Amino acid sequence: MSAPSAPTLPTSTPAKSRSRRTVRRPAPDGRRPGRAGRALRRNLTAHGFLIGAVLCFGFFSWYPMVREVLLAFQKTEDGATTWAGWSNLNYVFHDPAFWQAWRNTLLFTALALLLGFAVPFVIALLLNELRHARGYLRLLVYLPVMLPPVASVLLFKNFYNPEYGLFNRIFEVLHLPQQQWLQSTSTSMLSVVIAATWMNMGGATLIYLAALQGIPGELYEAAELDGAGLLRKIWHVTIPQTRLILSLMLLMQIIATMQVFTEPFLLTGGAGPEGSTTTVVYLIYQYAFNFGNYGSAAALGLVLLVLLAVFSAGYVRLSRATDE
Amino acid sequence: MSSSTRTLISPTQLASRRGKIVYRTVLALVLVAFTLVFLGPLYWMASNGLKSTEEFAQIPPTAFPHALHPENYKSAWDVMDLSHLLLNTLWYAFGALAFQLVFDVAAAYSLSKLRPVLGNVILGMMLATLMIPATVLVVPQYLTVLDVPIFERNLLNSPWVIWLPSVTNAFNIFLLKRFFDSVPQELLDASAIDGASQLRTLWSVVLPISRPILGVVSIFAIVGVWKDFLWPMLTLPDPTKQTLNVGIYSLASGVPENWLVAAIAMASVPTLLIFLIFQRNIMSGLTAGGLKG
């Protein structure tokens, strides 16, 4: 990987007690490498260290990025690639599934934010107040994140079963009406969101908890002196103090939930009853791997990319702000 | 943080008689609710895997299996060929870990301490990939591994298809670089004066003090492979090459439900063990790196 060590060190370094005089010995050919030679060698070593990662990025990240854009404007038929102009995008926009997929994805995002954004914050607030069993509770909340998705999903599929599933049994005991869960157009998406929230909220909870622990206690004391109650303390101290983290997490979750694929795919086969859980990424998957229509898949990917770029830009701006 | 830090509820409020009662009630409720919600499903998984087929389908369900059928686990293990799927997953996960450790650590060290020409441009291009939604790239990435340019290789069904793309983890490189940035330059200079090469310096000076961050990166690398679904489903269509997630999913409809539940219980054990052993590192890694992406 790197060049063998060579006498390239500054001669001004004190080498008094060092027996390793080798450091100062000139190169075998009798002359020391010059300034330019040293810089070149330094750079060669440095680039040698970089080469593996750069090649991987080149082949599996940067090149696919360029290819994504090209694909969106190409058509491949019988192995021949031709320029397709805007026809892929045109096709995508006129596909009724496109609008349904967007409606579903936005519904998923809205529900996921309602649950996946608010619930972890409330849990973090609660955990931060408790003085006992903290480690145990933190462990519990993060446990589902470590399960392989296929395990969590098959678990929930079983719980959601209308006949023998656990949820309907609990509803029965509570005298609530039986639900069709994943099998009805009105509840399928909510069911997916509940499962996804259970699976993924551990990370957000721990991040909120860390943010809450950074709030100086004097602020709460000052608020109490002003006669603030619990809710007013949360509103006027906790939320302003964690505002940056909250907005960062909000953007991060929007970016993540708009790309949801695995949960609906595993829970409802992707489409769900009457396409009620078809998401944008599932539609991309369908175009590419069921219909072999890579052009349309790439075109739809590009639409999603442009939309998410806006949120990403906001995220980068915000995280710069938190750095300062 | 210790419990001595001042939070929403004031200590005096807590110390009052009413405060104590409210606190104890809330604590008990939270303990019960959290255990049910987060541990309950795991218990359900382990215990229902032990039930007979009749008891499994019984309405209302039983909380404790009447008769234990550990042979379900054995049957699921054999029929779904879990040992094979498990070995595959381990092979992919540790291979990905090795590739990430070698390439990402070397790259982060170079970008942090060796500062080559165009280093910042390369770092910027790497970090830019964080802004591209990963799922958008699945289609072009898939087409790329079908026929890797220049090398003209088809990587489908080979472990390389998991290992090499796993290196393109800009977040890991970012975490490592930030850690290396904090390693004092004097330490590296001292090592250089002793005549050590850059590789030697990285190996004997920098890596030993980077253990915490290496631990975090390693755990996330392994868990990442263990949890991935879409990519291995697309790129490892051969059933003998599949991962646990994909293999169990594709076999799910063909086996009795109690065996299936036994199978997912077994598939969950490795990552849960990793978590229980390394939970401190995972928690610190999450909160150290999780805030910035």
Side-chain angles (χ1 to χ4, degrees), chain A residues 112-122 208 245-247 249-250 253:
Chain A
L113 288 184
L114 217 62
L115 286 175
F117 186 68
V119 173
F121 189 66
V122 173
Y208 291 144
I245 299 296
L246 285 175
S247 15
M249 293 296 291
L250 183 70
Q253 289 193 22

Side-chain angles (χ1 to χ4, degrees), chain A residues 32-230:
Chain A
R32 293 192 187 165
R35 222 181 144 78
R38 256 181 292 170
L40 182 71
R41 170 161 280 168
R42 235 184 104 79
N43 259 303
L44 275 179
T45 316
H47 284 293
F49 272 75
L50 264 177
I51 192 83
V54 165
L55 280 179
C56 286
F57 269 92
F59 280 113
F60 302 107
S61 264
W62 298 330
Y63 170 67
M65 269 184 212
V66 176
R67 197 153 176 199
E68 159 75 21
V69 181
L70 289 177
L71 272 174
F73 298 99
Q74 286 174 345
K75 242 189 182 66
T76 311
E77 265 166 328
D78 307 321
T81 306
T82 48
W83 191 247
W86 296 98
S87 69
N88 286 328
L89 277 160
N90 200 31
Y91 170 83
V92 165
F93 274 103
H94 285 90
D95 186 349
F98 174 84
W99 299 106
Q100 194 187 14
W102 275 108
R103 269 197 307 275
N104 290 339
T105 304
L106 293 180
L107 177 64
F108 180 91
T109 304
L111 288 173
L113 288 184
L114 217 62
L115 286 175
F117 186 68
V119 173
F121 189 66
V122 173
I123 291 184
L125 274 178
L126 207 57
L127 290 192
N128 200 37
E129 294 309 317
L130 296 178
R131 271 128 189 84
H132 299 97
R134 255 193 193 178
Y136 170 71
L137 291 171
R138 254 185 359 176
L139 197 87
L140 281 185
V141 175
Y142 201 69
L143 216 55
V145 180
M146 299 306 280
L147 290 181
V150 73
S152 325
V153 160
L154 290 175
L155 210 61
F156 268 84
K157 237 179 157 169
N158 207 289
F159 293 165
Y160 280 136
N161 188 297
E163 280 113 50
Y164 58 82
L166 193 64
F167 289 161
N168 268 356
R169 296 281 75 77
I170 296 173
F171 271 40
E172 198 179 84
V173 173
L174 299 173
H175 297 288
L176 290 167
Q178 298 284 293
Q179 299 295 323
Q180 289 298 305
W181 301 106
L182 293 166
Q183 290 168 25
S184 144
T185 49
S186 53
T187 49
S188 56
M189 195 50 111
L190 182 65
S191 307
V192 172
V193 173
I194 292 172
T197 304
W198 185 84
M199 288 161 73
N200 300 318
M201 66 180 214
T205 310
L206 294 188
I207 290 171
Y208 291 144
L209 196 56
L212 290 179
Q213 287 172 347
I215 301 177
E218 299 85 58
L219 292 178
Y220 290 122
E221 269 158 29
E224 271 157 25
L225 286 179
D226 290 343
L230 181 64

Side-chain angles (χ1 to χ4, degrees), chain B residues 19-39:
Chain B
K20 270 183 191 156
I21 295 171
V22 172
Y23 175 77
R24 295 239 169 93
T25 322
V26 171
L27 180 68
L29 281 177
V30 167
L31 277 174
V32 171
F34 277 41
T35 306
L36 278 180
V37 169
F38 295 108
L39 213 54

